[in-house]
Amino acid sequence: MPKTILITDDDLLLTKMYRLNLATEDIHVETAKNGQEAMDFMDKHQPDLLLLDLLMPKIDGYAVLEHIRKKKYHFPVIVLSNLSQDIDQQKCLELGARDYFIKSDMDMPVLLEKVQAILAEK
Amino acid sequence: MKEFEVALKEFGGLENIREQMRSTKKFEQAVEASTDAISMLLPTLEYIYVNPAWEKMTGYTKEETLGKTPDMLQSGKGDLKFFVDLHNAAEKGKVFQTEMKLQRKSGKEYEAELLMYPIKKENEPEMFVIFHSDITQRKKLETAQSEFVSLSSHQLRTPLTAIRWILNTLVTGKQGPLTDMQLELVHDGQKCVLHMAETIGILLTISRIEAGKMRLDNTDIGLLPFVQEIAEEHTVLYKEKNQELIVTCPTDLTLHADQRLLKEVVSNLVSNAIKYTPEKGRITVLVERTEKDRTRIDVIDTGCGIPSYQQQRVFSKFFRAENVFQEHTDGTGLGLYMAHSLVTMMGGTMSFTSEENKGTVFSIHFPAVAHAEDNPDHR
């Protein structure tokens, strides 16, 4: 049974790269292009893992993290953002994110390994 | 007349009285002419004096002010706690310093910095003096700088991420196999991306240090795994130049410091060493506990060295050594400046010895306990 990961990013080129690299036989990839779409998706169908961008139009990543906390969802969240101030990272971890990575420092094979490791936990 | 002269003598002489009056007048003139807003208050915090600069800053005249308390400057959106703190400090006769949003007579708000200190008589505050400045412009600049750092980090990194991930995707071969030459070109592209990511990282780190926005997050770092990890991350680079990289570190050594920042420093020294050491050279990372529990991390290379006439400028911004500039034009001259600034901020020191065409040793020294940890100025 493949696991579902939800990718939330307003940059469609990056979303394409996520899909090309992370979609495997065992991983089913869903995408949302802003916070609203992500919240609508998870309210119907909780993913096994959420990859979340922070800066998105209208509903941003912080608001999505708050939504997850309010709804008491338990799936893990990895924040991938290009905001590099300590305060952004700290805020996300306080809001319950499991990891915080700077996108431009991340390689896809490394991310795939991390995703697989988290999905294998359950 | 005789009695008067005796009284005068006891009082210190007529000249002394004249002198005192002259100096009181001088102080009064200085306070009146000051461009800083100065006010004097009773222990109950009622104004008994405000200077012209104060009137200009707040928009209230002296007549409107005397007898009132600083609560008159309270802004609608301001924090009431400030006024409570101010009154508490006055009751205790303490020095009080703060930054606060206040409101002018016109209703316009401004950011103020206040310093209040007591003038005591027999240990009881007799009066308070408040120096008061408008720091609205400074606050705006600080905010602008911080926003610029945040924005540029995002704007530079977004396209870089896309390029990095496109190259990642091509390398997997899932989109079709690459010829050897295509693969080589993709690898070249990846190296450029790494170089650019590193440069952006250095620029942002420097601008954050200079804006005073850097925070230390100190933990106990196991130094052996720490330096081993750095060595491993540089494997491709030194193998490519047929160099060897040796790590020497006692197994149980720990250092209380900010791991992420220390890693930036040591990584920078190691990648410099690799870059400026010729093929088949040797790089050594040597970690030792020295006298009085001090810790020293050396990065030793057998590289081109730094010309002696340039050595005093090594840690300055944009420094590039003449001998390496001939061969490597792509450095920014910011790496060592950043490393040196970070080490200083962490409470350590950095030094080096170098001989041209023989090699260089960069040393980082940390005291037993990094003392910068509790210093709020470094936040």
Side-chain angles (χ1 to χ4, degrees):
Chain A
M1 178 77 182
K3 299 275 176 76
T4 300
I5 62 174
L6 174 61
I7 287 157
T8 307
D9 199 309
D10 59 323
D11 188 321
L12 296 183
L13 176 54
L14 295 190
T15 310
K16 186 159 97 187
M17 293 306 134
Y18 275 122
R19 185 188 284 284
L20 286 173
N21 285 280
L22 301 181
T24 62
E25 280 176 13
D26 307 317
I27 303 175
H28 172 69
V29 172
E30 289 285 345
T31 58
K33 60 180 182 296
N34 56 51
Q36 188 61 54
E37 280 188 20
M39 291 184 332
D40 291 346
F41 181 90
M42 68 182 69
D43 287 346
K44 280 189 218 116
H45 180 90
Q46 285 184 43
D48 295 292
L49 173 66
L50 170 66
L51 301 190
L52 182 66
D53 186 23
L54 284 182
L55 287 189
M56 291 180 290
K58 291 177 195 161
I59 308 276
D60 65 11
Y62 294 117
V64 174
L65 285 170
E66 273 161 20
H67 178 79
I68 292 168
R69 172 181 272 193
K70 211 171 91 194
K71 294 271 183 173
K72 299 198 170 84
Y73 292 148
H74 288 296
F75 52 82
V77 183
I78 299 180
V79 174
L80 282 138
S81 168
N82 273 325
L83 295 176
S84 63
Q85 311 255 44
D86 297 340
I87 188 159
D88 301 308
Q89 173 164 7
Q90 196 187 332
K91 202 166 152 191
C92 288
L93 298 181
E94 275 167 15
L95 281 169
R98 172 165 173 151
D99 277 316
Y100 186 105
F101 299 112
I102 292 169
K103 281 194 264 191
S104 69
D105 291 345
M106 177 55 82
D107 276 316
M108 274 297 154
V110 178
L111 183 65
L112 179 59
E113 270 177 38
K114 290 185 190 294
V115 165
Q116 283 169 333
I118 290 176
L119 292 178
E121 279 171 15
K122 285 203 270 181
Chain B
M1 198 60 200
K2 255 215 157 116
E3 287 93 337
F4 180 66
E5 274 176 23
V6 172
L8 252 187
K9 229 174 212 161
E10 277 176 10
F11 219 81
L14 194 58
E15 254 325 292
N16 199 358
I17 292 177
R18 283 208 187 107
E19 184 52 42
Q20 275 189 12
M21 285 181 68
R22 269 201 294 273
S23 84
T24 310
K25 192 79 195 160
K26 261 191 256 167
F27 276 114
E28 197 182 310
Q29 281 174 346
V31 173
E32 285 276 312
S34 168
T35 50
D36 284 331
I38 300 171
S39 55
M40 294 177 195
L41 305 89
L42 292 174
T44 52
L45 289 188
E46 282 162 59
Y47 285 108
I48 49 172
Y49 171 79
V50 292
N51 72 347
W54 190 95
E55 292 177 287
K56 198 173 162 209
M57 185 181 296
T58 62
Y60 291 102
T61 64
K62 199 177 259 181
E63 291 69 32
E64 289 171 309
T65 309
L66 300 187
K68 298 209 175 94
T69 68
D71 301 33
M72 68 191 282
L73 302 175
Q74 199 165 307
S75 126
K77 289 176 221 146
D79 182 1
L80 281 173
K81 186 176 172 295
F82 156 73
F83 294 96
V84 175
D85 288 348
L86 188 72
H87 284 274
N88 281 343
E91 254 172 53
K92 291 182 184 136
K94 278 187 175 166
V95 174
F96 181 66
Q97 185 170 19
T98 193
E99 287 177 12
M100 178 64 203
K101 190 169 272 183
L102 295 177
Q103 194 171 358
R104 296 182 222 277
K105 188 183 178 185
S106 63
K108 207 173 163 206
E109 291 183 330
Y110 64 107
E111 295 283 345
E113 184 178 55
L114 268 86
L115 169 67
M116 174 175 86
Y117 75 91
I119 294 177
K120 291 185 179 177
K121 194 178 180 184
E122 284 154 13
N123 223 11
E124 280 296 307
E126 188 183 33
M127 195 170 84
F128 286 93
V129 179
I130 299 182
F131 293 92
H132 173 168
S133 42
D134 184 342
I135 56 165
T136 312
Q137 286 305 320
R138 194 179 88 198
K139 283 270 168 196
K140 269 189 197 155
L141 276 177
E142 279 173 13
T143 315
Q145 162 113 15
S146 158
E147 277 170 6
F148 174 75
V149 169
S150 174
L151 189 75
S152 52
S153 97
H154 199 258
Q155 294 307 329
L156 294 170
R157 280 179 160 146
T158 298
L160 191 64
T161 308
I163 299 169
R164 185 172 191 143
W165 291 0
I166 288 167
L167 297 178
N168 280 163
T169 310
L170 289 174
V171 168
T172 62
K174 273 202 246 167
Q175 313 307 318
L178 299 185
T179 66
D180 287 351
M181 179 47 86
Q182 285 165 342
L183 199 60
E184 190 184 316
L185 294 174
V186 171
H187 282 308
D188 288 341
Q190 284 183 311
K191 266 187 246 162
C192 296
V193 166
L194 284 182
H195 184 67
M196 191 164 159
E198 193 182 295
T199 306
I200 293 171
I202 290 175
L203 281 173
L204 290 170
T205 302
I206 288 175
S207 88
R208 269 150 72 193
I209 295 172
E210 290 178 349
K213 297 258 176 221
M214 214 59 170
R215 278 192 351 191
L216 295 179
D217 182 13
N218 289 349
T219 52
D220 286 324
I221 308 168
L223 287 173
L224 180 62
F226 172 78
V227 286
Q228 277 173 337
E229 187 183 313
I230 292 174
E232 209 176 294
E233 285 173 6
H234 287 81
T235 312
V236 178
L237 288 176
Y238 72 80
K239 289 229 161 120
E240 215 173 54
K241 292 182 78 175
N242 291 313
Q243 297 164 334
E244 52 174 343
L245 198 158
I246 300 160
V247 169
T248 309
C249 176
T251 46
D252 54 349
L253 217 52
T254 61
L255 179 70
H256 192 67
D258 187 305
Q259 177 152 0
R260 195 171 56 86
L261 299 184
L262 187 65
K263 192 172 171 186
E264 279 199 57
V265 173
V266 179
S267 291
N268 188 268
L269 293 180
V270 170
S271 73
N272 266 355
I274 295 169
K275 186 170 170 188
Y276 298 124
T277 297
E279 297 244 338
K280 294 184 180 151
R282 188 192 323 123
I283 323 295
T284 311
V285 181
L286 172 65
V287 186
E288 277 181 339
R289 180 129 299 169
T290 58
E291 82 288 355
K292 288 181 193 152
D293 282 342
R294 292 166 60 91
T295 307
R296 198 186 73 235
I297 305 173
D298 287 340
V299 178
I300 306 162
D301 67 47
T302 57
C304 57
I306 302 157
S308 55
Y309 67 94
Q310 284 193 307
Q311 289 190 0
Q312 79 274 18
R313 289 182 44 232
V314 163
F315 296 127
S316 51
K317 214 173 185 176
F318 306 120
F319 170 79
R320 304 286 328 272
E322 293 271 351
N323 56 343
V324 303
F325 190 64
Q326 308 299 331
E327 287 177 47
H328 305 267
T329 48
D330 62 334
T332 54
L334 288 171
L336 281 176
Y337 169 77
M338 175 195 74
H340 182 252
S341 308
L342 285 177
V343 169
T344 309
M345 208 188 80
M346 289 190 278
T349 55
M350 199 162 152
S351 63
F352 71 96
T353 54
S354 184
E355 201 177 328
E356 217 171 339
N357 299 319
K358 288 216 166 143
T360 305
V361 181
F362 274 99
S363 304
I364 312 165
H365 313 262
F366 282 102
V369 177
H371 54 67
E373 184 191 0
D374 301 320
N375 190 340
D377 289 349
H378 287 119
R379 288 176 74 82

